[in-house]
Amino acid sequence: MNENVPNHVAIIMDGNGRWAQNRGLKRTKGHQKGAEVLKKISEYVYDKKIKVLSVFAFSTENWKRDKEEIDYLMKLFIKAFKGNFNVIKEKGVKVVFSGLKNKLSKKVIDTMDKMQEETKNNKNGIFNICLNYGGQDEIIEATKKISALVKDNKIDVKDIDKELFSKNLFNDLPPIDLLIRTSGEYRISNFMLWQMAYAELYFTDTLWPDFNEEEFDKALDAFNKRERRFGGVKK
Ligand code: FPP
């Protein structure tokens, strides 16, 4: 088959908690394994010459979890951003974050800022980490920014188009071609709603900590079998 590599892949890494509970372990162990899997998969993605990878690390709804789990996740993020993703940097990938800064500790924000700063001139790919992220929030924030531009007479209402809207999102990213969600849940869960408009959706029962390169290839195979018409008709 003629391999058609998607430009932008997004992943909802679900099932860490269940993976741990199935083994009689604390939920946090599932996140620890999940972080290791993300490291491997992200390297694999850029080796495949996929340009953009977006991942859902923490949603605005995840604050409802126990403090112990939230604290663990925040520490895991700091650890990952400080060192575990060095290979990504070495591959010349630019790291960006999408989400609101409110509620995040200074320590987390500082490591995020440092990682963005260190990789800002990288051109080989983009790693978009959605942290304290909600898709509806992203659209609301963009609307506020655009409204301010209109109010200050910087733009006219008729200048508002898809391109301008995208430029005012947390990051101006290309459309998502392939969305992967693990753990047998068939939901979008408020993830990258704007960018997802014409994404091909791929769901697998595999829990995120069990996901691997072979599973990723299965998703790519499924993507290659899809016929993308973008609202047009079959040629
Ligand atoms: C969903 O599984 C997963 C999360 C809320 C956290 C995702 C975080 C990681 C994969 C850790 C590494 C991330 C980075 C950016 C270093 P769940 O806990 O909702 O699982 P469940 O549905 O089985 O309870």
Side-chain angles (χ1 to χ4, degrees):
M1 194 183 359
N2 210 348
E3 269 262 305
N4 182 12
V5 179
N7 183 52
H8 185 174
V9 175
I11 310 181
I12 303 180
M13 310 175 287
D14 201 6
N16 293 349
R18 273 164 287 165
W19 181 90
Q21 278 159 348
N22 291 346
R23 285 164 177 73
L25 302 170
K26 277 184 159 183
R27 293 177 54 82
T28 49
K29 283 283 169 206
H31 296 313
Q32 185 185 20
K33 182 75 184 4
E36 287 164 23
V37 171
L38 176 58
K39 183 171 177 272
K40 266 202 292 180
I41 292 295
S42 54
E43 289 168 22
Y44 192 61
V45 161
Y46 300 110
D47 287 345
K48 289 241 162 201
K49 307 283 176 239
I50 291 166
K51 284 286 177 200
V52 188
L53 173 66
S54 291
V55 294
F56 210 170
F58 196 88
S59 78
T60 46
E61 283 75 35
N62 287 150
W63 297 106
K64 291 179 200 151
R65 297 184 178 210
D66 285 353
K67 186 175 180 303
E68 187 194 344
E69 186 174 341
I70 295 172
D71 288 350
Y72 184 89
L73 276 169
M74 294 300 152
K75 281 201 189 118
L76 193 62
F77 296 149
I78 293 172
K79 198 171 149 210
F81 305 156
K82 273 193 173 159
N84 290 7
F85 288 139
N86 277 347
V87 184
I88 294 292
K89 290 190 215 165
E90 285 157 21
K91 286 187 193 292
V93 172
K94 175 173 155 178
V95 180
V96 298
F97 290 90
S98 294
L100 297 167
K101 289 279 169 77
N102 71 336
K103 292 197 189 175
L104 293 174
S105 71
K106 182 172 181 308
K107 220 168 163 184
V108 173
I109 294 172
D110 285 350
T111 46
M112 287 162 67
D113 288 347
K114 188 157 179 275
M115 206 169 171
Q116 286 199 116
E117 183 57 32
E118 281 173 2
T119 61
K120 70 177 183 206
N121 296 319
N122 287 354
K123 299 272 186 286
N124 292 345
I126 300 174
F127 187 22
N128 171 43
I129 303 172
C130 297
L131 209 167
N132 195 20
Y133 175 86
Q136 291 175 332
D137 285 330
E138 179 168 33
I139 292 171
I140 290 171
E141 289 304 309
T143 308
K144 284 184 194 164
K145 283 193 232 166
I146 294 168
S147 305
L149 292 173
V150 173
K151 186 166 165 268
D152 296 343
N153 288 319
K154 298 232 168 71
I155 59 163
D156 196 86
V157 170
K158 67 175 180 341
D159 298 329
I160 303 172
D161 58 10
K162 285 184 225 168
E163 204 186 330
L164 181 108
F165 205 89
S166 182
K167 282 198 167 66
N168 284 281
L169 292 168
F170 290 131
N171 289 288
D172 187 10
L173 297 169
I176 296 171
D177 301 293
L178 171 64
L179 168 84
I180 300 171
R181 181 171 191 154
T182 57
S183 92
E185 306 285 356
Y186 302 96
R187 283 189 295 275
I188 300 299
S189 296
N190 199 14
F191 186 49
M192 302 190 77
L193 301 175
W194 176 271
Q195 299 86 345
M196 194 94 75
Y198 283 100
E200 294 295 331
L201 310 180
Y202 177 84
F203 299 99
T204 170
D205 287 340
T206 304
L207 303 175
W208 177 251
D210 289 325
F211 198 82
N212 55 25
E213 291 89 340
E214 204 183 309
E215 295 280 336
F216 189 82
D217 283 344
K218 278 193 216 162
L220 285 187
D221 285 348
F223 175 79
N224 272 292
K225 290 193 182 102
R226 306 274 175 95
E227 187 204 333
R228 305 187 79 198
R229 293 197 300 272
F230 300 96
V233 288
K234 193 174 173 179
K235 289 258 161 59

